[in-house]
Amino acid sequence: MNDPTRLPLLEVKGLKKHFPIQKGFFRRVVGSVKAVDDVSFKIYAGETLGLVGESGCGKTTTGRLLLRALDPTEGSVLFRPQEKDPVNVAELDRRSLKSIRRHMQMIFQDPFSSLNPRMPVLDLVAEPLRAHGRTAKECESRVRELLGQVGLDPRTMRRYPHAFSGGQRQRIGIARALALNPSFIVADEPVSALDVSVQAQILNLLEDLQDRLDLTYLFITHDLSVVRYLCDRVAVMYVGKIVELVDTETLFGDSRHPYTNLLLNAVPDMDPHSQWLTAPISGEVADPSAEIQGCPFAPRCPLVTDLCRREIPLLENVSKDEYQHLVACHHRKG
């Protein structure tokens, strides 16, 4: 997927989101939380890019910035809908943003809290259709089609969310995300709130929809076993920065960042004869509101040196072939 001769569907450059810290009666700004700090990556049409890391690393904030659910502090999000000239989503006004959002949608983590309990499925799924001027008859016809696509009985469209299981509610959320025929979807931990057996069903559904509808995903998760199943490439995030980005096969076979290795060591081995034991990641995550000298992972890194404490490592390519393996580590050569 990571073909240097192809134009990406989405290209993120120098993306930042700093939330101000305010104190006192006059709400004076005394600092900022660097939730996303100079992130750059590309996503190609038809692929799934996994964005992984511990809670609080900036994954969800990054996904919301791509869709302009949050306004970035700095940086650009270049989107090429239907192979047209790139549009910088970060600079669009409200009218232009409404037009571009039909091509970019989100699947949320909690399938219950993301659905209004006072609205039937018909109204929930048809909401984006009505916002773009579809008639009541067109909405109902489209909702029937969408429910069938995600494996739900269209006759249930008059029911309310409480009448459905967690997996069924997530299918409703997926149907709503597909309503306007988007080409790019941010899936924010879409299976983490579900039972393991249901997770597999939803993952299979997402993969099937991608093949049938030519979708492109940014898949946000903390579960590397899910990444291995679904994603073509993986970006590993730590304290607002990407520390490793490479294709999934290489990540699981030749990861170069110590943080990635620790995450991989914590993934259970499905071999019943394995002597696997969880390798916990010791130490505390760096404070994104503090001024960090050197590598943010240095206090927790088993390979730390004085250089790591002094200098921030750059995200650089360690691959010798045409495909990139980007790593931000002073020990990246392995």
Side-chain angles (χ1 to χ4, degrees):
M1 289 290 182
N2 185 17
D3 186 344
T5 64
R6 295 172 59 200
L7 289 174
L9 176 69
L10 189 87
E11 184 172 5
V12 179
K13 297 181 179 179
L15 192 62
K16 296 182 181 181
K17 181 60 180 180
H18 297 174
F19 294 98
I21 300 173
Q22 298 175 325
K23 286 187 177 181
F25 180 79
F26 295 103
R27 312 303 295 167
R28 183 168 57 92
V29 176
V30 296
S32 63
V33 175
K34 298 176 181 178
V36 177
D37 194 22
D38 198 15
V39 164
S40 300
F41 58 86
K42 299 176 182 178
I43 305 179
Y44 296 89
E47 80 165 339
T48 300
L49 175 67
L51 187 60
V52 304
E54 293 171 283
S55 297
C57 72
K59 308 185 301 293
T60 293
T61 302
T62 300
R64 291 177 181 272
L65 289 171
L66 301 190
L67 304 183
R68 272 289 296 279
L70 293 172
D71 292 328
T73 302
E74 192 177 312
S76 62
V77 179
L78 301 179
F79 180 59
R80 294 178 173 85
Q82 299 174 341
E83 300 184 354
K84 296 179 181 178
D85 292 334
V87 176
N88 188 357
V89 179
E91 295 180 348
L92 295 178
D93 57 33
R94 182 169 295 185
R95 178 177 292 183
S96 300
L97 195 56
K98 180 180 178 181
S99 176
I100 205 71
R101 273 189 178 147
R102 64 184 304 166
H103 302 287
M104 310 171 77
Q105 291 292 319
M106 192 167 196
I107 300 170
F108 296 94
Q109 177 178 359
D110 188 339
F112 190 75
S113 63
S114 63
L115 302 175
N116 188 333
R118 296 180 176 87
M119 296 174 64
V121 171
L122 171 60
D123 292 338
L124 287 167
V125 178
E127 202 169 15
L129 296 167
R130 293 196 182 101
H132 284 78
R134 302 289 182 88
T135 66
K137 186 175 181 180
E138 289 173 331
C139 287
E140 183 168 341
S141 175
R142 178 62 173 152
V143 170
R144 288 182 182 278
E145 179 186 1
L146 289 165
L147 292 180
Q149 284 183 337
V150 300
L152 291 175
D153 188 342
R155 292 175 295 181
T156 63
M157 69 168 64
R158 308 289 178 185
R159 295 181 184 175
Y160 290 81
H162 71 267
F164 296 87
S165 67
Q168 289 173 328
R169 286 195 290 262
Q170 191 59 288
R171 289 173 187 267
I172 295 168
I174 293 170
R176 182 171 62 179
L178 296 175
L180 296 172
N181 291 312
S183 56
F184 175 65
I185 290 180
V186 174
D188 184 13
E189 302 261 17
V191 297
S192 64
L194 306 176
D195 293 339
V196 174
S197 60
V198 181
Q199 286 184 12
Q201 296 172 17
I202 297 300
L203 291 174
N204 288 334
L205 173 63
L206 290 172
E207 190 173 43
D208 179 59
L209 290 170
Q210 183 174 39
D211 292 339
R212 286 195 283 128
L213 304 178
D214 195 23
L215 297 172
T216 303
Y217 294 137
L218 175 69
F219 194 91
I220 298 171
T221 183
H222 63 277
D223 189 343
L224 281 170
S225 59
V226 171
V227 164
R228 191 169 199 170
Y229 173 78
L230 193 68
C231 299
D232 300 294
R233 290 187 300 134
V234 185
V236 181
M237 203 167 184
Y238 186 75
V239 196
K241 294 181 179 290
I242 289 178
V243 297
E244 186 159 11
L245 200 165
V246 70
D247 67 272
T248 304
E249 183 178 353
T250 302
L251 185 91
F252 280 85
D254 187 26
S255 62
R256 300 294 183 88
H257 198 282
Y259 178 60
T260 308
N261 291 333
L262 289 172
L263 291 177
L264 290 170
N265 287 338
V267 177
D269 191 339
M270 294 298 105
D271 184 354
H273 304 292
S274 171
Q275 297 299 313
W276 170 84
L277 290 174
T278 301
I281 304 176
S282 61
E284 297 293 328
V285 179
D287 183 357
S289 66
E291 288 297 327
I292 301 173
Q293 286 189 334
C295 176
F297 190 59
R300 308 172 71 189
C301 183
L303 304 178
V304 63
T305 62
D306 288 339
L307 176 63
C308 302
R309 297 187 181 97
R310 291 196 313 268
E311 297 182 14
I312 299 176
L314 300 176
L315 190 66
E316 295 182 342
N317 186 22
V318 299
S319 177
K320 295 180 181 179
D321 57 30
E322 60 179 328
Y323 297 104
Q324 289 189 328
H325 184 171
L326 302 177
V327 185
C329 178
H330 294 301
H331 308 285
R332 55 183 163 263
K333 292 184 180 179

